[in-house]
Every structure is written in structure tokens, then in C-alpha cells.
Amino acid sequence: MASLNILSSFIAILIISSAIPALCKSHHHKKHPPPTMKEDEHDKYINSLPKDLIKFVENCTKYLPLKCGEKVIEDILDKGNVDKKCCHDLVRMGYKCHKSLIKVYIGLPEVKNKIDPKVIKSNAKKVFKKCVVEDKKNKHHSTYPPPILP
């Protein structure tokens, strides 16, 4: 359940909205009011995703703290800049995970018709590449394999 909460929190950060519901039905969320119609659309979308994608994202997001996830999405949306520590965490998380999160983000009903998916994908790729360069500059000799870029 904890990894699903991480995924829920990260996706919520990706869309930078406090009105987005949690993706899971944990005990913590029983205290919250029942979902609205908009939240139902959100839940339907998340539940329609392939289970293996959800499981992969749950596992791979362990390496990116929520505050860093927020900085990454702000940079992708040209509203901020990822710092050195968050770049390191993003690179550690891996490009495949980053790309999967962006794929989920682009399909969210709250976001789908408000963004250009090509621009978001392009910006996401640029942010990741920038972080790889930043991470190498800062000599974070890693304990993980180098990222595979497209």
C-alpha cells in the first residue's frame, strides 16, 4: 500500500493540484470526503492503466522524493528549475520510470486537453538529459547503472 501511496502522491504533484484524489483506497483516505465526478474520471483513468505499468511506476518512484517530483514537473512546464540533488534523484530513478510517469500524466483527464503531449514529452526528455549532465558534473559516483537515453 505504501508504494501505491507514493505513486498517488507523485501523480498529484505532477498535476500540481490539491483537488486531485489519491489513487488508492487506503485507511488514511477514509477520512476524506467522497469523490466528486471529476475524481471519478481520474480514478477510472488510473484503473484503466495496465496493471504492470502501475506496478512498475510504484516500484521505480521510490527513488524520487515528492518535493523533487514537484520540481521536475515545474521544470517540464517551464515554471521552475530542478536542483542538483533532485537531478541526482531523477537520474537514479531512471529514464524508463520518468518516461512512464510522463505517459501517465499526459493521459490524465484533468490534463489531457490542456497540454500539448509532444511539448511535454520533449520537455521531459530535455529535463532528464539536463539532469544526467548535472549529475555527472557533480561527480555522484553512482551505485546504479548509467541511464539509457532514447
Side-chain angles (χ1 to χ4, degrees), residues 101-115:
L101 285 168
I102 296 303
K103 179 181 177 181
V104 171
Y105 172 68
I106 288 170
L108 287 167
E110 300 88 349
V111 175
K112 196 174 187 176
N113 298 320
K114 297 177 183 167
I115 60 166

Side-chain angles (χ1 to χ4, degrees), residues 10 13-14 63-75 81-90 127:
F10 189 78
I13 285 172
L14 285 177
Y63 301 111
L64 190 69
L66 298 178
K67 289 200 181 264
C68 289
E70 185 175 59
K71 290 178 183 180
V72 169
I73 196 61
E74 286 174 356
D75 201 358
N81 201 7
V82 182
D83 61 37
K84 294 174 189 178
K85 165 86 172 81
C86 290
C87 268
H88 175 70
D89 292 339
L90 178 65
V127 168

Side-chain angles (χ1 to χ4, degrees), residues 97-137:
C97 184
H98 178 65
K99 190 174 175 181
S100 296
L101 285 168
I102 296 303
K103 179 181 177 181
V104 171
Y105 172 68
I106 288 170
L108 287 167
E110 300 88 349
V111 175
K112 196 174 187 176
N113 298 320
K114 297 177 183 167
I115 60 166
D116 181 348
K118 290 179 183 178
V119 171
I120 298 299
K121 287 177 183 177
S122 174
N123 287 355
K125 193 177 200 180
K126 287 175 189 173
V127 168
F128 193 86
K129 285 182 177 183
K130 176 178 76 174
C131 282
V132 168
V133 170
E134 183 67 41
D135 196 48
K136 285 180 182 177
K137 267 196 315 191

Side-chain angles (χ1 to χ4, degrees), residues 5-129:
N5 283 334
I6 292 170
L7 172 64
S8 300
S9 299
F10 189 78
I11 289 176
I13 285 172
L14 285 177
I15 53 183
I16 309 172
S17 171
S18 61
I20 302 307
L23 303 177
C24 67
K25 307 292 186 238
S26 69
H27 297 292
H28 167 77
H29 299 296
K30 287 182 180 176
K31 299 175 190 172
H32 296 275
T36 64
M37 203 51 124
K38 192 173 189 178
E39 292 169 340
D40 286 341
E41 290 175 34
H42 179 81
D43 286 343
K44 283 179 188 174
Y45 168 69
I46 296 302
N47 291 331
S48 75
L49 295 171
K51 300 298 179 212
D52 58 335
L53 174 63
I54 295 296
K55 184 128 181 107
F56 172 72
V57 171
E58 286 174 0
N59 289 326
C60 72
T61 55
K62 292 181 223 175
Y63 301 111
L64 190 69
L66 298 178
K67 289 200 181 264
C68 289
E70 185 175 59
K71 290 178 183 180
V72 169
I73 196 61
E74 286 174 356
D75 201 358
I76 290 169
L77 297 173
D78 294 324
K79 295 178 181 178
N81 201 7
V82 182
D83 61 37
K84 294 174 189 178
K85 165 86 172 81
C86 290
C87 268
H88 175 70
D89 292 339
L90 178 65
V91 172
R92 183 173 181 226
M93 181 180 78
Y95 185 71
K96 186 176 178 184
C97 184
H98 178 65
K99 190 174 175 181
S100 296
L101 285 168
I102 296 303
K103 179 181 177 181
V104 171
Y105 172 68
I106 288 170
L108 287 167
E110 300 88 349
V111 175
K112 196 174 187 176
N113 298 320
K114 297 177 183 167
I115 60 166
D116 181 348
K118 290 179 183 178
V119 171
I120 298 299
K121 287 177 183 177
S122 174
N123 287 355
K125 193 177 200 180
K126 287 175 189 173
V127 168
F128 193 86
K129 285 182 177 183

